[in-house]
Every structure is written in C-alpha cells, then in structure tokens.
Amino acid sequence: MRRVAVTGVGVVSALGVGRKAHFDGLREGRCGIGELEFRDVERLSVTIGGQAKDFKSEDHFGRSQIALLDRFTQMALIAGKEAVEDSGIEIDEALGLRSAVVIGSGMGGLGTLDEGYRTVFEEGKNRVHPFVVPRSMSNAAASQLSMAYGIKGPAWSVSTACSSSNHAIGQAFHLVRSGLSDAAITGGAESMLCFGGVKCWEGLRVMSKDGCRPFCKTRNGMVQGEGAAILVLEEMESAKARGAHIWGEIAGVGMTSDAGDIVQPDPDGASRAIRSALKDAGLAPEQIGYVNAHGTATAANDRSECTALKDAFGDHAYKLMVSSTKSMHGHGIGAAGALESLAVLLALTEGVIPPTIGYQEPDPDCDLDVVPNVARDAKIDAAISNSFAFGGLNAVLAFKKV
Amino acid sequence: MSSDTELKVREIIAEQAVLDVDEVKPESTPEELGLDSLSMVEIVFAIEEAFDITVPFNANEPNASDFDISNVAAIVKAVEALRAAEA
C-alpha cells in the first residue's frame, strides 16, 4: 500500500504567523488567549479568545484581493503559501492534474456574513457588498488554494464543526494512499471571532470567561480561537525520491459517529474512532507515545475523552502523554485538527511534547498524564490526534515518525 | 463637460482600477482600464452607495442592460440619468 508523507507545514494562529512563532509558542507553553478586539465586544459576556492578532490582512494582500477573501480564506492562503514553500514541491501542469485540495472549516466566512447582516439589519441599508457569496462560502479557502497553485484534481471543503480539519486531512490522506492523487494540500481554517460568531457560542453556555484549562479540576469551558494550518501530503516514495524533508507519516484515520446527542459527547464513539485509527495505521496501542487530545476544557468533553482513552488503550492509557494545545491557541473549531497536527509533528520531529497549560488542580475523572504546564522532552515513534465534534462526529488521525 | 457626478464616477473607477483620476478619460473603456467583470460589479456597488441609486446592471449580460458601460462617458451619462429619474 502507498504511504503518505507530510512534506510541508504552514500555520497562522493566536501564537503567531508562521511555523516558527507557533512552534516556539508550543515549546514555551505560551498562552495566546487574551482580550478580544473587535466592534461591539463590550456587548458580549465572553470577552476572551485566541485571536490571531499578529495576522493583519494588509500585510499580505492588496485591497482588491481583500475584497474577495474572508479572513478565514486569507489565513488559509498564507498558511498554504508557507506549507507549499516548506515542502519544496513544484506543482507543474501534470502534477496539478494529479493533486487535490481538501480543507475543513466549521463556519466558512462567518465574518463576512456578520458584516452583511449588520449592514442590512442594523444600518438599514438595502444592499450588501457584491462579493458576500464568494467570500463567505465554505469552499472559498479550498477554491482559492486550488487557484493559487493550479491544482486541478479533486477539491472540496469539509464541514463537521470541530472535526472538520481531521475529516479533511483524513480524506486527503485517503486520496494519496489510494493512488487517486499524488499530492494534496489539506488542513483547515476558521475565523469566527466577530460579534455574531461569539454571540452564538455564548448562547450555548459552554464558554469560559477566564481561560482554557483542559483536564483541570477548575476548568469551566472552552475558549474560541481562530487560525489556519495547512499540510502538504505526498506519496512517500516520490517525496523521498525528490529529497523532500519529511515531517512525519500519516498512517491512518478513524472516523465514527455517536448517533446519540447533538451536543453531548459519547465515549463509545470516541473510543471506536481511536481504535479504528490505530487499526488503519497498523499500530498497536502500546506503540503510541503521545495523544494530542481534543481537550476542549468543557466538563463533558474532557471527562468523556479520558474515558474513551482508557477504553481504547487499556492500561497503556496511563503511560501516554496526553495534552491539549487548545490551552494555548484556543479552540480552532474547523481549524482545530489541523492546528493540532502541528503539535504532533513537533513531538515526532523534535521530541518536544507540547504542554497543557493553565493546569491548576487534578481532576479524578481525568487522571492521565496531561503534561501539565511545561513542555517535556520525550522521544516518541507514533502519536494520535483526536477531534470530536458537536453532532457526535469523531475523527482521529494516526501519525508515525519517519 | 465636467460635473460633480462625472468627477465622482471617475474617482470610483480610478480607485478600482488603481489609477490616477486623470488617467480615467471619458473615452476610456473598461478593457483599457484593466477592469474585469468582478471589478465592474464592485464599481456598480460603489456607484449605488455614493449616489444612493439602484443601478440596473446584470453581470450575466453586462452589455445588454440599460446601464451602458461601454466607456467612462457612457457610465457617467447613465448615472446622471438614474439620478434625474430618482430626483
């Protein structure tokens, strides 16, 4: 069977713009969560988030480009540029026909819709900007990336809330492994840190007002982030043949549905996804050294996720290092799995396990090694990354060191 | 003939074309100014905003609508007609 290499990585997050800033943040255990800055923020009861404050549209795009690009697409393009340059891949006409783009996003261009609704409802105007549709559509980032790199094979967007990125990366992995494509640009992008976006989440009463503390006894909810992370996937032998730097191998994916509740997670669905990913990758539970947890810091998720890990890994669960980098960059929603794949690649390539920061007090329901507060040096050969979405849609990726 | 309407229309077109207003001449066509169909949609939007009018422009058939965009002078004339009609 064909194997799949990650040859390029790019990122925009609350930890900064680009790999160096993001990786430095993960290594240092830096918190990118802070006070939100946008119009009408004073009307929100939740005013913190993982805003990518270093990402300024004008630094990267001209006025006519910005007119057509929502912030989520802008971040996808900048992360995509970094990933493609990092990979050194040259996408000529022939490879373009054999390449794919699969990008996850939970809400697409919500900021654009928010502005448009404000114009017609609040300001009482009767026309909106002419490009609301091409800016806001969920496939905008996938389409813009295909246009930027002349990728003419399969291209689509995936929207499964918090699992969007892992489903997207999983499908791109399938395309390359099966031979349908030789290369893929994949990952996720999300930007809904605007008044309407946060107001929607407030309503669910799952948001923390003071910080993201996954697995901690004092945790009191999730903190929204934003950003984009893009990976370049290539067939392993051709990547090696051209001398590409290989960050790691995506070895398997597991996807399940709880078929239960629209918001409450079910450990059974999560556990089945983990087992399925391990089986697909041909990995025994004992081979896994690190789990990048979904770890949202809601009471329900973290408890359910720990139960699922114990169910899937048995006694080995207590030997795993399990961390949630959402504590640093916030919950990227549709970008979460892609942002978190970078934490896994950092662990595989540099032997640095990113920490779960903000950790204050152990929770008996979450009695695993959550790598509290400080990054750890540890050599690992394989890892998994969990994403469990509202709606009970679970996607777990399995990675191996190359 | 110079009018407030003409100047404002030329400013809108110049901004979209990333040109100096002086370079936007009455006889200039959208093609000569490097304006594609999306740029024309943005210009129509900006004209509607600036003059508070509704422009009958269909991007599917840009040359078939009542709003003549064959050159800058035609656009100015069309805007003046719309303003007069709504006045």
Side-chain angles (χ1 to χ4, degrees):
Chain A
M1 190 162 9
R2 282 157 58 109
R3 293 167 60 199
V4 179
V6 179
T7 59
V9 168
V11 64
V12 173
S13 77
L15 295 174
V17 177
R19 274 193 314 279
K20 185 176 185 307
H22 187 82
F23 282 155
D24 283 351
L26 294 179
R27 272 190 287 260
E28 295 160 8
R30 179 154 52 84
C31 185
I33 292 166
E35 286 295 319
L36 290 169
E37 293 171 6
F38 50 73
R39 187 173 168 184
D40 289 343
V41 69
E42 64 280 1
R43 288 177 56 200
L44 296 167
S45 61
V46 172
T47 59
I48 59 167
Q51 238 176 340
K53 290 182 181 173
D54 290 345
F55 184 82
K56 297 185 172 62
S57 305
E58 304 74 32
D59 293 347
H60 307 281
F61 300 100
R63 193 185 61 90
S64 60
Q65 289 174 297
I66 291 170
L68 272 166
L69 305 173
D70 182 88
R71 185 171 168 85
F72 95 105
T73 304
Q74 293 175 24
M75 295 194 296
L77 283 169
I78 295 309
K81 182 166 184 277
E82 186 182 26
V84 168
E85 287 174 2
D86 177 43
S87 76
I89 194 170
E90 293 196 13
I91 304 172
D92 58 14
E93 182 70 23
L95 183 56
L97 293 167
R98 296 275 309 149
S99 297
V101 182
V102 190
I103 303 296
S105 184
M107 302 296 279
L110 188 81
T112 295
L113 293 178
D114 201 46
E115 283 172 32
Y117 288 138
R118 189 190 286 282
T119 302
V120 290
F121 295 142
E122 181 181 328
E123 295 169 6
K125 289 190 173 183
N126 239 355
R127 62 178 73 89
V128 294
H129 190 277
F131 302 156
V132 170
V133 171
R135 279 177 68 118
S136 65
M137 59 193 191
S138 293
N139 60 312
S143 295
Q144 293 288 351
L145 282 163
S146 77
M147 290 153 60
Y149 298 104
I151 293 177
K152 298 183 174 176
W156 70 90
S157 52
V158 177
S159 187
T160 51
C162 314
S163 294
S164 301
S165 276
N166 269 9
H167 276 122
I169 296 167
Q171 290 173 21
F173 158 73
H174 277 159
L175 287 174
V176 176
R177 185 169 71 173
S178 70
L180 199 62
S181 298
D182 291 330
I185 292 179
T186 187
E190 195 80 76
S191 174
M192 56 171 137
L193 294 178
C194 56
F195 177 73
V198 177
K199 185 54 84 180
C200 294
W201 279 96
E202 271 183 14
L204 270 172
R205 316 276 169 152
V206 295
M207 306 266 285
S208 172
K209 293 178 184 179
D210 56 19
C212 178
R213 297 184 294 280
F215 306 115
C216 172
K217 177 105 179 173
T218 68
R219 70 184 181 276
N220 59 4
M222 55 178 275
V223 174
Q224 266 205 63
E226 66 170 353
I230 301 293
L231 309 178
V232 175
L233 308 187
E234 290 180 70
E235 191 276 320
M236 181 70 76
E237 294 313 313
S238 60
K240 283 182 176 167
R242 72 174 183 84
H245 167 251
I246 295 171
W247 285 88
E249 174 179 3
I250 298 185
V253 59
M255 300 185 260
T256 64
S257 173
D258 293 349
D261 190 274
I262 196 68
V263 289
Q264 281 296 331
D266 179 352
D268 176 65
S271 172
R272 287 186 295 111
I274 294 166
R275 290 169 192 267
S276 170
L278 294 177
K279 187 177 175 206
D280 191 40
L283 288 165
E286 294 72 26
Q287 289 176 272
I288 301 296
Y290 172 57
V291 175
N292 185 288
H294 189 52
T296 58
T298 61
N301 174 82
D302 293 5
R303 189 170 56 234
S304 170
E305 183 165 14
C306 288
T307 302
L309 286 167
K310 290 175 205 170
D311 184 63
F313 284 95
D315 288 344
H316 186 66
Y318 291 95
K319 296 181 184 156
L320 294 167
M321 292 173 281
V322 180
S323 72
S324 170
T325 49
K326 288 185 177 74
S327 56
M328 292 176 271
H329 50 63
H331 190 337
I333 314 290
L339 290 171
E340 290 157 26
S341 71
L342 267 62
V344 171
L345 294 170
L346 179 71
L348 287 173
T349 55
E350 292 189 23
V352 174
I353 310 296
T356 304
I357 69 164
Y359 190 81
Q360 299 167 338
E361 195 180 326
D363 176 354
D365 288 336
C366 305
D367 57 342
L368 301 176
D369 174 5
V370 300
V371 195
N373 297 321
V374 182
R376 195 178 301 165
D377 292 327
K379 190 179 163 304
I380 59 159
D381 297 316
I384 61 168
S385 179
N386 291 341
S387 285
F388 309 130
F390 273 177
L393 311 185
N394 312 300
V396 176
L397 297 171
F399 295 78
K400 277 160 67 171
K401 190 183 174 81
V402 172
Chain B
M1 190 176 69
S2 183
S3 67
D4 291 349
T5 304
E6 181 188 330
L7 184 61
K8 186 67 198 168
V9 169
R10 284 171 59 209
E11 282 173 359
I12 288 169
I13 293 172
E15 192 188 356
Q16 193 62 39
V18 198
L19 292 170
D20 204 73
V21 179
D22 295 339
E23 297 175 82
V24 179
K25 299 184 172 25
E27 64 275 18
S28 304
T29 66
E31 292 74 29
E32 287 166 5
L33 297 170
L35 299 166
D36 61 12
S37 64
L38 280 179
S39 299
M40 285 311 300
V41 171
E42 283 208 273
I43 286 169
V44 168
F45 172 71
I47 287 172
E48 288 185 323
E49 289 284 287
F51 298 107
D52 195 21
I53 55 176
T54 300
V55 174
F57 175 79
N58 185 339
N60 294 303
E61 306 177 279
N63 300 316
S65 66
D66 294 337
F67 192 75
D68 186 354
I69 59 159
S70 53
N71 62 30
V72 172
I75 296 171
V76 172
K77 199 174 151 200
V79 171
E80 283 172 341
L82 286 167
R83 293 191 73 190
E86 300 206 2

